[in-house]
Amino acid sequence: MATKRDYYEVLGVSRDASQDDIKKAFRKLALEHHPDRNKSDASAEERFKELNEAYSILSDPEKRAQYDRFGHAGPAGRGFGGFEDFQGMGVEDIINDFFGGIFGGGGGGSRPRRGADLRYDLTITFDEAVFGTEKEIVVPRTAGCGECGGTGARKGSRPEKCGACNGRGQVTMQQGFFSIRRTCSRCGGTGQVIKDPCGKCSGTGFVRESRTLKVKVPPGVETGTRLKLRGEGEAGPAGGPAGDLYVAIEVQEHPFFVREGPDLYCEVPITFPQAAMGAKIFVPTLSGKKELSIPAGTASGHEFTLRGEGVASLSSGRRGNLVIRVLIEVPKKLTKRQKELLEELQKLSEASPGPISSGFFEKVKEIFG
C-alpha cells in the first residue's frame, strides 16, 4: 500500500499557512493538474484526486486540527472520510466555482433573470433640497430590443433549442467517480441557438439607449439620500424584469445656513451696545426675515432657537428648528469719538465691576496674593 504524502506538502504550503493561502494554493495546483488540461497524462486524475483530498482536510479547521495532531490517522480515525467526505461536501459546486474560467461558468438554460441596478448622481441646490423639486435626467442603459422583442432572432423567426445540451445550457463531463457540469460551448449557456440573428441588436436581444426621466425630489432630502425608481435599470436577460435606478442626492452648501438633519444653524453678528442694552434685530429664515429680541446682557456665543423654522423631516414631515448663535463684533478701527466713549466706559467699569470680573479678581488675589 502506497504511503500518503503529507497534505501540506501536496499543496505546497507551510504548516502555519492561513485558510486563504491554502485556498489559493489549491486553486493554482488544481488548475494546473486538472484532467481536462492534461488528457495525455494518465497520472493527472490521481494527482487531481490527491489535491482534492488534501484540500478537503486542510480547508476544514476541525479536520485540520485533527490532522495536525494525529496525522493521516486523525481524520480517518474520527469519521472524516478523506476524499469521499469531501465529495459529499459538494465537490461539484467547488469545482464549478474554481474552474468557471475553464468551463465558461455555471449556465442553466435561457431562464429570465433580473437586470442590473443603476446609479445616477444628482446634485441639487440647498433650497431645492429643503422645498423639493422635479428634475429631468438622461440615463444611458441597456434595454430589450424592440425589433426582435428581446429574443435576438430576426423578426419572423425564433431561436432554436440547442442540440448539444438539449436546451439545458449545460453539458455533463465525467471525471473518474464524480461528474462536472459545464456551460454548453455551443449556446453559451442559454439553451438556444440563433441561426438568423436580428439585424438591430446583432442577436444579443439588447440595445443601448438614453432614457429621459423626471425625478421628483421630495422636501427634506440631504446628501446621501437615495431615491429609487423601480424598473428603470438595465433590462433583464431572457425577458426578465429590469433592475432599478437609484438616484444618489448631493446637496450644495448654503452660504449662510448649516444643516444638521432637520435643524438649521447660523451665526449673526451684533454690536456690544446691542448685547449690553438689548435690542431687536432681523434675522434670515427659510420663510423670510424674522424679528429676534436680544435681551440686555446677552453674552457672545449665546444661542436662540426659533422653533419650526428648520427643514421638514423626510420621514415625518415635521419641521426642525433654526438655531441662531449671536457673536459680539469687536470693531478693528475706532473713530476718535468712539475711542473717547469707550475710554469713559472703561473707567466706569473699573469703578463698578460686574459680578464676573469681581469674582475673578478676588480669586486671583486669594491665590497669588
Side-chain angles (χ1 to χ4, degrees):
M1 183 177 179
T3 303
K4 285 188 177 182
R5 286 205 299 156
D6 179 78
Y7 289 146
Y8 291 99
E9 181 186 338
V10 170
L11 295 180
V13 296
S14 62
R15 302 192 76 84
D16 60 352
S18 67
Q19 288 296 315
D20 189 50
D21 290 337
I22 289 172
K23 184 175 181 178
K24 287 179 180 177
F26 171 69
R27 182 171 185 171
K28 179 183 176 182
L29 292 171
L31 283 169
E32 181 182 344
H33 296 284
H34 193 275
D36 264 12
R37 285 190 162 185
N38 301 273
K39 293 182 179 179
S40 60
D41 186 356
S43 64
E45 187 170 325
E46 286 301 315
R47 172 65 174 150
F48 191 62
K49 176 183 174 182
E50 183 182 42
L51 287 169
N52 277 312
E53 183 176 336
Y55 182 71
S56 72
I57 301 301
L58 299 186
S59 64
D60 185 300
E62 186 178 356
K63 294 180 185 180
R64 183 180 178 182
Q66 293 291 341
Y67 177 75
D68 288 344
R69 187 175 181 185
F70 301 105
H72 290 292
R78 285 160 177 78
F80 289 109
F83 179 65
E84 288 72 24
D85 183 66
F86 178 65
Q87 189 178 20
M89 290 168 58
V91 64
E92 190 171 305
D93 293 333
I94 296 175
I95 296 300
N96 281 332
D97 174 55
F98 280 167
F99 304 110
I102 299 176
F103 301 135
S110 184
R111 294 176 294 179
R113 299 190 302 279
R114 184 178 180 276
D117 293 333
L118 293 176
R119 171 184 169 134
Y120 186 96
D121 295 327
L122 178 63
T123 301
I124 60 176
T125 67
F126 186 88
D127 287 345
E128 288 173 334
V130 170
F131 299 109
T133 186
E134 185 173 271
K135 290 288 189 179
E136 194 173 86
I137 63 175
V138 179
V139 182
R141 67 173 189 172
T142 298
C145 177
E147 181 70 20
C148 65
T151 65
R154 189 178 298 275
K155 195 172 183 179
S157 66
R158 300 184 65 179
E160 298 179 4
K161 184 169 71 173
C162 177
C165 64
N166 199 28
R168 291 189 296 270
Q170 294 181 334
V171 294
T172 303
M173 179 187 69
Q174 194 69 28
Q175 280 293 329
F177 30 74
F178 61 92
S179 59
I180 301 172
R181 288 177 300 176
R182 61 180 179 182
T183 301
C184 176
S185 58
R186 184 181 179 192
C187 66
T190 65
Q192 297 177 331
V193 176
I194 300 173
K195 292 189 175 180
D196 191 10
C198 170
K200 185 176 182 180
C201 66
S202 302
T204 64
F206 299 104
V207 292
R208 292 294 294 175
E209 67 172 16
S210 292
R211 184 171 172 82
T212 301
L213 301 170
K214 287 187 177 180
V215 180
K216 289 186 177 180
V217 181
V221 298
E222 54 189 320
T223 295
T225 299
R226 293 203 312 168
L227 305 177
K228 180 179 178 180
L229 277 67
R230 192 177 298 278
E232 295 295 347
E234 302 276 26
D244 300 325
L245 171 65
Y246 289 89
V247 179
I249 301 295
E250 181 175 351
V251 182
Q252 295 175 339
E253 292 185 1
H254 193 275
F256 188 75
F257 296 118
V258 174
R259 179 179 173 184
E260 291 185 12
D263 296 327
L264 295 177
Y265 295 82
C266 69
E267 295 180 341
V268 175
I270 60 174
T271 65
F272 175 73
Q274 287 175 324
M277 297 183 294
K280 291 186 181 294
I281 63 173
F282 285 96
V283 295
T285 71
L286 294 176
S287 55
K289 290 183 179 180
K290 292 288 177 73
E291 189 177 74
L292 178 65
S293 294
I294 306 294
T298 297
S300 184
H302 184 82
E303 292 182 345
F304 297 89
T305 300
L306 300 183
R307 300 198 174 278
E309 293 292 342
V311 182
S313 170
L314 192 59
S315 57
S316 67
R318 286 184 292 184
R319 295 185 64 174
N321 302 321
L322 170 60
V323 180
I324 296 173
R325 185 168 180 254
V326 295
L327 300 175
I328 298 176
E329 187 175 20
V330 179
K332 294 183 178 180
K333 291 184 178 180
L334 298 173
T335 65
K336 183 179 179 182
R337 179 60 178 154
Q338 286 174 328
K339 191 172 183 180
E340 290 173 351
L341 291 172
L342 287 175
E343 286 175 346
E344 186 177 348
L345 178 62
Q346 177 64 24
K347 291 177 182 178
L348 292 172
S349 299
E350 289 175 355
S352 179
I356 296 178
S357 297
S358 298
F360 172 78
F361 288 114
E362 284 178 5
K363 285 185 179 179
V364 169
K365 186 177 180 181
E366 182 182 320
I367 296 172
F368 298 101

